[in-house]
Amino acid sequence: MALLQPLKQLKLNASHRSDVYSQPVGSSERVTAAYLTETPAGKDRLMEIICERQNLGRALSRVRTNHGAAGIDGMTVDQLTSYLRQHWPKVRADLLAGTYQPLPVRRKEIPKPSGGVRLLGIPTALDRLVQQAVGQILQQIRDPSFSASSYGFRPGRNQHQTIQRAQQYVVDGCRQVVDMDLSKFFDRVNHDRLMSRLATKVHDKRVLKLVRRFLTAGVMVGGLQEPSHEGTHQGGPLSPLLSNIVLDELDKELEKRALRFVRYADGFIIFVRSKRAAERVMVSVSRFVNQRLRLKVNQEKSGITHPWWMCFLGFSFYQPSRRYPYPHPLQIDQPVQTAGAGTDQSQLWTEHGADHRPSQPVFSWLVELLRHNPELAQFSFASLLDPAAPSGDPVETLEEPENPGPGIGETEDPSYQGAVYGLFP
DNA sequence: CCCAGGGATGT
RNA sequence: GGUACAUCCCUGGG
């Protein structure tokens, strides 16, 4: 009995619409980034900057307040502070000499919400501190040059901005979505690709060597150390940034091809206007990812869909019709287990064919709609969702109803980010 | 704006 | 005990 997810929808006001393409980039730079890249001293003395007291203090407080578990050496984050009081000079000396050797990570498997398992590699508390200190500086060097279409793990950017830009593509007329999924991305990151990408902006050999040592530190499995020749362990503070550095190469390639896309970590979607273009892009981008980036495209989870049938970052778009010009006043926050009301789910699925089944959020929206309005079962679902469908109602100019009531996805909790509506022109 | 403590979403 | 990043919300404090 799979519980259905609440439908999240996105509202796009006219005021938002104008500046969607120019989202503010986070200006939260605690240390002057310009100094790091523009002064000659910053280029080869990066490790000194990493080891500065202020940077390390911030890294330590972050590791401490995360209250994370211990690594392979058993040291807890509470013990870390007192350990550093005694051993920091030695650690610092190793870092500056370029001889610091991280310990292997601890393997932990946790279940993913979607059903699979996530392989974690948990570094020791000390290594997490060092990674954090390195990451804080590296982020300031690399983040400004990242693509505007890259939204994951970046300061000043969130899922909302990602979806807003995606919706702008749809509004602009891109009704074909190439949904690309990279299988086991973190576990398959190519070390050499990553290092060469990092070396374009970082010239301190000690820093480069340290990052490579983090990558090849290995993983302890049942008391035995296994080497790691690929992948970046999920669990290190540096991993999210490293993933962006690797996939920055992808962003730049997509930009070079003038494609409209958004990327959030390892998930990205490309918007095009025609089915033919979608198929062409699907093939060529897959080839680029497989051959150039040495990554693997998950063929099963990748494909071409319609904007209102896809699900990205937990959001879906929907197409209002004349019959339902605004989110239907149904409470959908409670999970439902069956379609009920005599609706045949298989009929719903086959309505659009096996290749174009509605995404889970849209599907659950339909289920709820039918549960409360069984008389609607006789109408074509395509007419509710797809303006291009032969029986589709003409889409009218949409106004917010005076009293929408508790709309789909709307909750009492104002902090619930997904509780916004999506309106198409 | 910054710092503690708690919650949620996503990867 | 299950790591990490980002974002948002709440409370308290400077």
Side-chain angles (χ1 to χ4, degrees):
Chain A
M1 48 159 247
L3 298 183
L4 299 175
Q5 301 294 315
L7 174 60
K8 300 179 182 181
Q9 301 165 330
L10 187 72
K11 180 173 192 168
L12 189 59
N13 295 329
S15 56
H16 289 134
R17 206 164 289 181
S18 55
D19 57 350
V20 163
Y21 285 124
S22 56
Q23 296 289 349
V25 182
S27 58
S28 57
E29 293 165 23
R30 274 112 171 179
V31 186
T32 49
Y35 168 75
L36 296 168
T37 49
E38 286 170 13
T39 65
K43 289 205 169 188
D44 293 317
R45 289 176 52 83
L46 235 193
M47 190 61 93
E48 276 77 8
I49 296 171
I50 289 169
C51 290
E52 270 173 15
R53 196 174 181 80
Q54 194 183 9
N55 185 50
L56 260 133
R58 199 155 62 87
L60 178 60
S61 70
R62 169 58 82 94
V63 173
R64 282 178 70 187
T65 60
N66 275 351
H67 291 107
I72 200 68
D73 61 350
M75 188 188 298
T76 66
V77 290
D78 293 318
Q79 296 170 300
L80 180 62
T81 308
S82 58
Y83 175 87
L84 283 175
R85 255 195 287 275
Q86 194 178 348
H87 294 97
W88 169 241
K90 166 66 174 162
V91 173
R92 179 190 154 92
D94 283 343
L95 287 171
L96 292 175
T99 58
Y100 182 84
Q101 179 59 51
L103 289 173
V105 297
R106 182 162 63 87
R107 166 67 81 240
K108 177 76 185 175
E109 294 178 8
I110 60 172
K112 278 195 285 190
S114 48
V117 287
R118 185 181 293 261
L119 259 56
L120 293 186
I122 304 172
T124 67
L126 177 61
D127 286 335
R128 290 208 296 271
L129 168 80
V130 176
Q131 280 196 40
Q132 179 69 35
V134 172
Q136 285 168 2
I137 302 300
L138 286 190
Q139 179 149 80
Q140 295 171 56
I141 297 174
R142 293 281 2 215
D143 199 87
S145 61
F146 283 160
S147 164
S149 300
S150 165
Y151 287 88
F153 308 141
R154 295 185 59 187
R157 287 167 173 251
N158 58 28
Q159 294 101 307
H160 240 102
Q161 296 168 331
T162 318
I163 296 298
Q164 276 188 11
R165 175 183 275 233
Q167 190 173 40
Q168 188 61 47
Y169 293 144
V170 179
V171 169
D172 288 348
C174 297
R175 306 270 157 128
Q176 297 289 328
V177 183
V178 182
D179 188 338
M180 303 275 291
D181 183 271
L182 306 180
S183 55
K184 309 266 185 309
F185 163 68
F186 280 89
D187 301 326
R188 294 174 198 239
V189 167
N190 185 281
H191 286 0
D192 294 327
R193 276 278 148 202
L194 169 56
M195 293 308 298
S196 73
R197 205 69 196 164
L198 184 61
T200 61
K201 289 280 196 306
V202 174
H203 300 98
D204 190 325
K205 293 275 173 24
R206 297 166 298 179
V207 176
L208 294 173
K209 194 157 96 176
L210 177 61
V211 172
R212 188 174 273 280
R213 284 186 169 185
F214 273 124
L215 294 172
T216 57
V219 49
M220 289 296 276
V221 178
L224 290 173
Q225 180 177 346
E226 288 180 5
S228 48
H229 59 279
E230 64 172 10
T232 166
H233 310 112
Q234 299 182 64
L238 207 48
S239 290
L241 177 64
L242 294 183
S243 75
N244 270 339
I245 290 174
V246 170
L247 291 181
D248 183 50
E249 194 171 359
L250 172 68
D251 297 335
K252 295 293 150 60
E253 179 67 20
L254 296 179
E255 282 177 354
K256 200 175 113 192
R257 301 184 186 187
L259 292 170
R260 301 163 207 248
F261 73 100
V262 289
R263 183 175 69 79
Y264 197 97
D266 56 339
F268 61 101
I269 47 182
I270 307 168
F271 292 83
V272 293
R273 290 177 190 276
S274 73
K275 187 107 181 172
R276 260 176 58 194
E279 283 159 1
R280 182 173 47 77
V281 166
M282 178 81 187
V283 170
S284 66
V285 173
S286 293
R287 194 167 55 221
F288 179 82
V289 170
N290 288 328
Q291 294 179 6
R292 182 81 163 273
L293 298 180
R294 307 283 180 79
L295 292 167
K296 205 162 185 174
V297 175
N298 191 338
Q299 294 293 345
E300 284 73 37
K301 296 179 74 177
S302 302
I304 300 164
T305 59
H306 291 179
W308 22 96
W309 292 343
M310 67 168 203
C311 181
F312 194 65
L313 304 177
F315 286 89
S316 268
F317 303 127
Y318 79 98
Q319 172 63 47
S321 67
R322 179 146 48 88
R323 187 171 299 280
Y324 287 102
Y326 54 87
H328 201 265
L330 297 177
Q331 182 57 260
I332 203 170
D333 283 328
Q334 294 131 10
V336 289
Q337 292 171 20
T338 62
T343 52
D344 183 2
Q345 290 195 30
S346 62
Q347 229 174 357
L348 198 56
W349 292 91
T350 54
E351 181 86 24
H352 302 104
D355 295 335
H356 285 277
R357 50 188 56 178
S359 65
Q360 177 84 322
V362 171
F363 180 72
S364 66
W365 174 69
L366 283 170
V367 167
E368 270 297 279
L369 191 68
L370 290 168
R371 211 160 73 99
H372 291 75
N373 305 58
E375 72 279 4
L376 289 177
Q378 58 186 300
F379 291 105
S380 164
F381 296 110
S383 72
L384 282 175
L385 291 176
D386 190 350
S391 57
D393 288 341
V395 177
E396 295 185 337
T397 317
L398 301 169
E399 301 292 339
E400 282 277 359
E402 313 79 49
N403 182 17
I408 296 171
E410 197 173 9
T411 72
E412 311 273 323
D413 184 4
S415 69
Y416 185 63
Q417 298 182 37
V420 278
Y421 295 159
L423 301 180
F424 283 93

